[in-house]
Amino acid sequence: GMLSKKRKVPRIVKKRKRHDKKMKKRVVPKDISDPQQWSGDKTPQQNYEVMGLVLNNKPSMRQSKQGKALMTEARLRMNKSHYAEQGIIDEDIEEMQAVKDTKNEADLASLFPEIKSKKDAIIKPTVRRLKADEKQICERLIKKYGLESYGKMARDIKVNYLQWSKGQIAKNIELYRSSIGEIKLDYKDE
């Protein structure tokens, strides 16, 4: 038979480019009037501060409260004629901003009286509910083995087809008994 088969299409081997460890060039922004003021040792923000410029390097100004306020203010200042046509003057704009600020600071309890304080609220852990097939499994296991022999229940893979461990069976049977009203679950208060 054929032991080796020749390649019809030659393999392309890419050679890795070697990066020489050279000094990085000093990158100076194009719009700066005096490139001599730009220092390669400092961060861009520090360089801008030396020149008297402010650089806001927050990722998204629209998402923060300060950014939103700044954007609305800028929009209002740039489109004064547009807002004047609509009958909104500078004083109205300031009043609108003041109303927005007070809305944010309003107390939630006054807005939603049905919300209870943390002291009045009853905080309990959420009890997991058994699904219908899990209840059926628990019922069959209790019928076959009684209430306490969890080891035998865990080894019976015909009835316990989900193959719960001893601990899982103990928890699930406790939940089953509480769901049918046989026992009542008590929780420790922290």
Side-chain angles (χ1 to χ4, degrees), residues 11-166:
R11 265 178 42 197
I12 300 170
V13 180
K14 291 185 179 179
K15 292 183 181 177
R16 293 177 69 197
K17 292 180 183 177
R18 291 177 57 202
H19 295 286
D20 294 329
K21 294 181 181 178
K22 293 181 181 177
M23 289 291 289
K24 288 185 178 179
K25 287 186 178 179
R26 198 171 59 128
V27 179
V28 180
K30 291 180 182 178
D31 58 343
I32 291 187
S33 58
D34 188 10
Q36 299 302 321
Q37 287 183 334
W38 194 268
S39 171
D41 303 335
K42 296 178 183 174
T43 65
Q45 189 165 5
Q46 290 170 339
N47 278 313
Y48 280 123
E49 284 172 7
V50 167
M51 289 189 259
L53 301 171
V54 178
L55 172 69
N56 189 347
N57 56 1
K58 286 189 180 178
S60 177
M61 286 184 57
R62 289 186 196 171
Q63 305 306 321
S64 66
K65 286 182 182 178
Q66 298 167 337
K68 283 180 184 175
L70 194 67
M71 294 292 281
T72 53
E73 189 179 330
R75 212 175 283 123
L76 295 174
R77 285 186 181 178
M78 290 172 67
N79 301 323
K80 274 188 181 178
S81 59
H82 171 72
Y83 288 106
E85 287 173 13
Q86 289 185 345
I88 301 173
I89 348 168
D90 291 338
E91 297 159 9
D92 294 340
I93 293 164
E94 289 170 12
E95 287 174 21
M96 284 166 47
Q97 287 176 343
V99 168
K100 279 184 183 176
D101 293 341
T102 53
K103 276 185 185 175
N104 292 341
E105 295 169 5
D107 188 26
L108 284 176
S110 63
L111 293 173
F112 304 103
E114 63 271 7
I115 294 178
K116 296 178 180 179
S117 67
K118 276 198 173 182
K119 293 174 187 173
D120 299 337
I122 302 164
I123 300 170
K124 286 194 276 186
T126 307
V127 179
R128 185 174 78 87
R129 292 205 174 124
L130 291 175
K131 299 176 185 123
D133 57 338
E134 292 174 339
K135 283 183 183 178
Q136 227 174 29
I137 293 170
C138 289
E139 202 174 301
R140 288 180 189 163
L141 287 171
I142 291 171
K143 201 177 281 183
K144 192 170 181 180
Y145 297 103
L147 290 173
E148 296 301 318
S149 51
Y150 301 128
K152 290 179 183 176
M153 293 179 188
R155 287 190 294 274
D156 184 359
I157 60 169
K158 285 188 179 177
V159 180
N160 177 18
Y161 61 87
L162 293 177
Q163 296 191 350
W164 290 333
S165 66
K166 286 183 196 175

